[in-house]
Amino acid sequence: MTSLLDSFLIRAALAGIGVAIAAAPLGCFVVWRRMAYFGDATAHAAILGVALSLAFSTSIFAGALVAALVMALTVSALSGRGYAMDTLLGVLAHSALAFGLVAVSFLSGVRIDLMAYLFGDILAVSQTDLAVIWGGTALVLALLWWRWSALLLSSLNQDLAYAAGLNPRREQMVLTVALALVVAVAIKVVGVLLIAALLIIPAATARPFATTPERMGMIAAALGTISSVGGLVLSYHFDTPTGPSIVCVAAVLFTLSSIGSALRHRVARQI
């Protein structure tokens, strides 16, 4: 019994670490580009992908990935067409979530734990899920390693990117694909409602203490890992939902980071 308990906890911890490592560097770009709503819209679309996957008896990962990718491409295509970006993202995000929830209600004969997809069910991660999560993480990291300099330059200054012979719109598409991959692998761990939080909070927490973009990504990955493992431990000991517990730990770290940064600046001014 003890070995079985250890086994599912280890799988859960490995799943959380995998998602944290994938989300951290991507979350840095989300913060730099101020794409928080973009992450939300992409994540919310995943629930529609889950419903379609169950309806057609296909892979949940594939359905979530396709739905997230379609949403991200739709947002990119519609941007600058007469609507403010935050308005467009708000409309698409909530519409996708609503249509997804309605679609799930029409699935007769299919037992589905909706809360698991909304808030995650990391304790139910199987070995297959673990392989999918780490496979997706490897793809995201490879994609970002390949295009890191181009993505960074496009994020900092599009004019400089053009001058260097880069196409910022193409780099945006690379980021879009990576974001869809993270959404698809993270849905089992934190659920569609909390994916954006795992993207943004560790990156925002790392920002005051990073002197380079690369260091910010590494610090964010470490903070995301601490949040995942810490949330899992809290969930196990206090019987709380694991996905929200992970985000709560991340939020506490962000608060401590903000306080520490403010105190450091105050001391620096006094000196």
Side-chain angles (χ1 to χ4, degrees):
M1 185 66 182
T2 304
S3 61
L4 179 63
L5 184 67
D6 290 341
S7 177
F8 83 79
L9 283 176
I10 289 171
R11 286 200 305 269
L14 289 173
I17 292 169
V19 170
I21 291 173
L26 190 58
C28 293
F29 283 105
V30 170
V31 170
W32 294 329
R33 288 172 172 249
R34 300 180 181 178
M35 292 171 59
Y37 279 129
F38 188 88
D40 259 335
T42 307
H44 287 180
I47 198 68
L48 182 57
V50 169
L52 294 175
S53 296
L54 293 172
F56 294 102
S57 301
T58 59
S59 164
I60 297 293
F61 171 78
L65 176 61
V66 170
L69 193 55
V70 168
M71 171 60 78
L73 294 174
T74 300
V75 171
S76 298
L78 293 179
S79 60
R81 298 291 179 88
Y83 292 99
M85 181 56 77
D86 59 341
T87 301
L88 179 64
L89 289 172
V91 170
L92 291 175
H94 298 300
S95 298
L97 182 61
F99 277 110
L101 294 175
V102 169
V104 167
S105 71
F106 282 109
L107 296 175
S108 58
V110 177
R111 295 188 63 183
I112 175 173
D113 182 5
L114 195 56
M115 295 295 285
Y117 291 108
L118 291 176
F119 298 104
D121 190 12
I122 190 173
L123 296 178
V125 168
S126 65
Q127 292 184 9
T128 302
D129 293 328
L130 204 54
V132 169
I133 288 170
W134 277 95
T137 297
L139 281 174
V140 169
L141 293 179
L143 200 59
L144 291 178
W145 178 80
W146 174 48
R147 303 302 302 171
W148 180 266
S149 298
L151 283 168
L152 192 59
L153 187 58
S154 298
S155 299
L156 295 175
N157 192 307
Q158 290 196 359
D159 292 332
L160 283 177
Y162 279 119
L166 299 173
N167 184 347
R169 195 161 188 83
R170 182 185 62 197
E171 304 310 322
Q172 172 72 25
M173 296 302 296
V174 171
L175 206 57
T176 295
V177 171
L179 185 60
L181 275 169
V182 168
V183 167
V185 300
I187 191 170
K188 188 81 173 183
V189 175
V190 290
V192 299
L193 296 183
L194 300 175
I195 291 171
L198 201 58
L199 279 167
I200 297 163
I201 298 177
T205 305
R207 194 171 193 173
F209 304 101
T211 53
T212 65
E214 292 79 11
R215 185 168 295 179
M216 180 172 166
M218 288 188 286
I219 294 173
L223 292 170
T225 298
I226 293 169
S227 300
S228 296
V229 175
L232 181 61
V233 170
L234 288 177
S235 173
Y236 177 70
H237 284 292
F238 297 104
D239 195 24
T240 55
T242 311
S245 297
I246 290 172
V247 176
C248 285
V249 173
V252 169
L253 292 176
F254 174 75
T255 302
L256 294 174
S257 167
S258 299
I259 293 171
S261 179
L263 290 174
R264 188 177 64 175
H265 286 307
R266 178 173 295 180
V267 170
R269 282 199 302 267
Q270 290 176 349
I271 294 176

